[in-house]
């Protein structure tokens, strides 16, 4: 599903990633842990194709993604990858339904098709009564579930999550963690999650630890 080979990332004289090799299988939930500055978010950003590495190769679903030009890479990302961040990144002027529809509309789906699919996902995530609510009218847990729905709208093969429960209380964090595994079981999606939450890290099928720009073997 995901194969990265000797991934390096350097900013001027600062080397962040120092030759990361990694394979992640389809429908696997993988957590990545490590201290601040270990390179976790940088790796996640490259795996999610939001940034290009200084060196190395990345394959997602057998596609050598960094061989694509920026336009084709953006289209690949839209169709194959979903993102969930610590801060939900919802657009405040749009409703929950409208926020979820955005990636589908970018992917050239019709408004009707996008709204139908978005409604189905929001109902699945117990947000049936929140479709017309704007982010400011939603709780923190509800906002994050809307963000998850937005990540799911195009049926991505893989979802990258960066500290997804870092801004939630323990109850909402637990519900979000359980949701990831429910989605994996129902839709066979792959999840790669950077987290400082020990409980979530241990729930994963596999926990990887980063230190000084490398994945260390325990």
């Amino acid at each position: 599903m995901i194969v990265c080979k000797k991934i390096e990332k350097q900013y001027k004289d600062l080397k962040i990633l120092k030759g990361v090799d990694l394979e992640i299988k389809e429908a696997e939930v993988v957590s990545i842990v490590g201290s601040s500055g270990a390179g976790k978010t940088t790796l996640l950003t490259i795996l999610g194709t939001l940034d290009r590495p200084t060196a190395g190769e990345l394959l997602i679903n057998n596609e050598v993604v960094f061989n694509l030009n920026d336009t084709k890479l953006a289209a690949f990302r839209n169709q194959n990858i979903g993102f969930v961040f610590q801060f939900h990144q919802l657009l405040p002027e749009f409703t929950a339904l409208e926020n979820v529809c955005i990636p589908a509309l970018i992917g050239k789906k019709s408004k009707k098709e996008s709204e139908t699919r978005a409604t189905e996902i929001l109902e699945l995530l117990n947000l049936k009564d929140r479709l017309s609510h704007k982010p400011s009218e939603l709780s923190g847990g509800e906002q994050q579930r809307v963000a998850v729905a937005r990540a799911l709208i195009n049926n991505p093969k893989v979802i990258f999550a960066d500290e997804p429960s870092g801004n939630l209380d323990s109850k909402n964090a637990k519900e979000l963690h359980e949701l990831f595994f429910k989605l994996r079981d129902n839709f066979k999606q792959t999840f790669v999650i950077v987290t400082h939450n020990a409980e979530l890290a241990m729930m994963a099928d596999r926990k990887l630890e980063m230190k000084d720009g490398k994945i260390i073997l325990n």
Side-chain angles (χ1 to χ4, degrees), residues 113-176:
E113 182 184 0
S114 300
E115 289 183 347
T116 298
R117 172 67 178 154
T119 300
E120 289 174 354
I121 300 172
L122 287 165
E123 289 180 353
L124 175 70
L125 302 186
N126 297 320
L127 291 166
K128 181 179 181 180
D129 299 327
R130 294 289 188 267
L131 302 185
S132 61
H133 288 61
K134 293 183 177 179
S136 61
E137 301 170 309
L138 302 172
S139 70
E142 288 170 339
Q143 290 172 353
Q144 197 63 307
R145 276 183 280 151
V146 172
V148 171
R150 181 182 56 190
L152 295 171
I153 185 72
N154 286 335
N155 297 312
K157 294 177 175 61
V158 57
I159 293 173
F160 295 100
D162 190 4
E163 296 289 358
S165 59
N167 202 36
L168 300 178
D169 60 37
S170 58
K171 178 179 180 293
N172 281 307
K174 187 173 187 296
E175 290 177 354
L176 182 67

Side-chain angles (χ1 to χ4, degrees), residues 11-68:
Y11 297 99
K12 295 185 178 179
D13 294 332
L14 181 61
K15 203 171 229 186
I16 307 297
L17 300 179
K18 304 172 182 176
V20 175
D21 293 300
L22 176 63
E23 290 192 28
I24 297 172
K25 300 173 185 174
E26 183 179 7
E28 188 175 22
V29 177
V30 173
S31 64
I32 301 177
V33 303
S35 60
S36 296
K40 306 183 300 299
T41 294
T42 301
L43 177 61
L44 199 74
T45 302
I46 290 173
L47 293 178
T49 74
L50 293 172
D51 193 13
R52 293 177 181 266
T54 306
E57 186 176 72
L58 173 65
L59 290 86
I60 299 178
N61 214 30
N62 297 318
E63 179 81 53
V64 184
V65 295
F66 293 124
N67 284 351
L68 302 172

Side-chain angles (χ1 to χ4, degrees), residues 203-215:
M203 288 171 68
D205 299 319
R206 190 155 49 111
K207 183 177 80 169
L208 304 176
E209 185 175 355
M210 288 196 73
K211 184 177 182 180
D212 297 328
K214 291 184 177 182
I215 291 175

